Amino acid sequence: MSHSAFAAKDDVVDTYAYYGFTPDIVTNYISNRKKLGFVKISVELMVKAPEDLVVLQHHDPLLRAAILEILGAQTEDKVKSLVGKEEIRRECYEAVNRLLQQEVGKPLVVNMLFTKYLYD
């Protein structure tokens, strides 16, 4: 039985919304080879309310720059491992919310998804 069957009529159901960075985020990482390595990700930020999307859109350049900086500082081994990918996602998520806390007074993002994660 679903949880909603027990919800009182005045309970507010969260209406999650997603903000996707366009275009995808592409940058180089610290490579072990002579050739530069790159990583390309699609990022979706999950927020509790659709009106938060306007705030994310306004701060898109700031948030994108923070994600690029984090990606560019990664090692090849970390970029290419599943554990490393999750650590990078977590670091980006925390950085985005830290910036939003500074800019708008609250961390709006409840989750960050990498919907595409390609590397060379």
Side-chain angles (χ1 to χ4, degrees):
M1 185 167 283
S2 73
H3 170 73
S4 59
F6 299 104
K9 287 182 181 172
D10 58 354
D11 279 354
V12 176
V13 177
D14 286 331
T15 52
Y16 290 106
Y18 293 87
Y19 179 80
F21 288 93
T22 308
D24 287 349
I25 296 174
V26 182
T27 191
N28 296 104
Y29 58 81
I30 301 165
S31 176
N32 301 333
R33 304 162 289 158
K34 294 210 187 298
K35 181 178 154 242
L36 276 178
F38 77 88
V39 61
K40 176 179 182 175
I41 61 171
S42 295
V43 178
E44 297 281 335
L45 302 178
M46 185 171 132
V47 292
K48 279 191 175 177
E51 53 268 23
D52 292 339
L53 297 177
V54 177
V55 177
L56 294 179
Q57 185 174 13
H58 178 74
H59 292 290
D60 179 303
L62 179 70
L63 303 178
R64 174 184 284 271
I67 293 169
L68 279 166
E69 187 178 336
I70 290 166
L71 286 171
Q74 303 306 316
T75 62
E76 183 169 357
D77 291 344
K78 194 165 177 183
V79 167
K80 292 184 175 184
S81 79
L82 283 174
V83 172
K85 174 185 170 187
E86 176 55 25
E87 288 173 4
I88 293 166
R89 189 199 64 80
R90 168 65 53 187
E91 192 177 338
C92 290
Y93 168 75
E94 289 170 358
V96 162
N97 268 335
R98 200 167 41 248
L99 287 169
L100 288 169
Q101 178 73 46
Q102 289 169 10
E103 296 298 318
V104 299
K106 59 183 177 178
L108 298 175
V109 178
V110 293
N111 200 358
M112 174 186 277
L113 309 170
F114 287 173
T115 53
K116 185 191 307 169
Y117 188 86
L118 305 171
Y119 54 79
D120 177 39

